[in-house]
Amino acid sequence: AWTRTSTSSQKEVNGDASEAALLKCTELTSGNVIDYRRRNKKVCEVPFNSTNKFQVSIHETNDTDQRYLLVMKGAPERILDRCSTIMVSGEELELDQKWKDKFETAYMELGGLGERVLGFCDLRLDKDKYPEGFPFDADDINFPIDGLRFVGLMSMIDPLEQLFR
């Protein structure tokens, strides 16, 4: 959770270091996270677990595309395995071997720096199959978690790694 304390510049994060880093980065690049969440309501969530190594959430969006937006974050190799396309310079392309090789190079470079790396992907859900009010079920998953669009990697300094250098 992301909460504000008495002044707008002070924030408290409930969660692990990765969650804190994501929230702080988002706040710096996109503005107020609390307002963003209010405008893009989460309607379903599959929490991260050590077996899947990813987290999924589905959101209503406050934009011109009225379809639900499924977003996934987690271990980069697990994320890439669930994707069939990749977003490159604003264009959605087939995730072919060339892009998989580029992913592997980037992932190894970032990981080699001792940084924690997360992968991200998304998918706009078909409005006919997932109309407004659809009863998403996080326990008995009734929405796609494959055939997604890879959107990127994010690396963060791993505080534990820094302690043991």
Side-chain angles (χ1 to χ4, degrees):
W2 184 253
T3 57
R4 292 187 179 275
T5 57
S6 58
T7 66
S8 62
S9 64
Q10 295 177 326
K11 296 165 188 78
E12 179 181 313
V13 178
N14 297 326
D16 67 14
S18 294
E19 188 70 17
L22 286 171
L23 288 168
K24 289 176 183 178
C25 179
T26 302
E27 181 98 356
L28 290 171
T29 59
S30 301
N32 189 304
V33 172
I34 295 169
D35 288 344
Y36 185 84
R37 285 180 169 175
R38 208 174 282 130
R39 291 189 315 269
N40 298 279
K41 180 182 165 195
K42 185 188 308 181
V43 296
C44 183
E45 180 174 18
V46 177
F48 180 89
N49 69 53
S50 59
T51 302
N52 294 337
K53 297 192 179 191
F54 62 77
Q55 180 267 346
V56 179
S57 57
I58 300 172
H59 302 264
E60 296 173 351
T61 59
N62 183 24
D63 60 22
T64 56
D65 191 334
Q66 294 302 303
R67 295 175 294 170
Y68 287 109
L69 176 64
L70 179 146
V71 293
M72 181 184 287
K73 67 180 178 188
E77 65 281 0
R78 296 290 178 97
I79 297 300
L80 192 74
D81 286 347
R82 298 193 169 274
C83 296
S84 58
T85 62
I86 183 170
M87 184 63 84
V88 179
S89 301
E91 187 178 353
E92 188 169 352
L93 305 172
E94 178 187 347
L95 182 59
D96 59 18
Q97 193 58 49
K98 174 186 89 168
W99 289 112
K100 289 178 182 179
D101 291 344
K102 287 184 178 207
F103 161 88
E104 187 66 28
T105 299
Y107 179 38
M108 295 309 289
E109 283 180 20
L110 293 170
L113 296 172
E115 297 186 353
R116 183 176 298 177
V117 183
L118 289 176
F120 298 86
C121 61
D122 69 5
L123 180 68
R124 287 288 184 163
L125 298 178
D126 183 292
K127 195 162 181 66
D128 292 332
K129 291 182 182 176
Y130 305 96
E132 186 175 341
F134 183 84
F136 294 104
D137 188 338
D139 295 320
D140 186 17
I141 294 177
N142 60 350
F143 47 85
I145 56 171
D146 290 300
L148 308 178
R149 175 178 64 177
F150 184 78
V151 296
L153 296 170
M154 180 179 185
S155 70
M156 298 159 270
I157 295 171
D158 188 336
L160 292 176
E161 176 73 23
Q162 296 299 313
L163 286 175
F164 296 103
R165 284 191 156 200

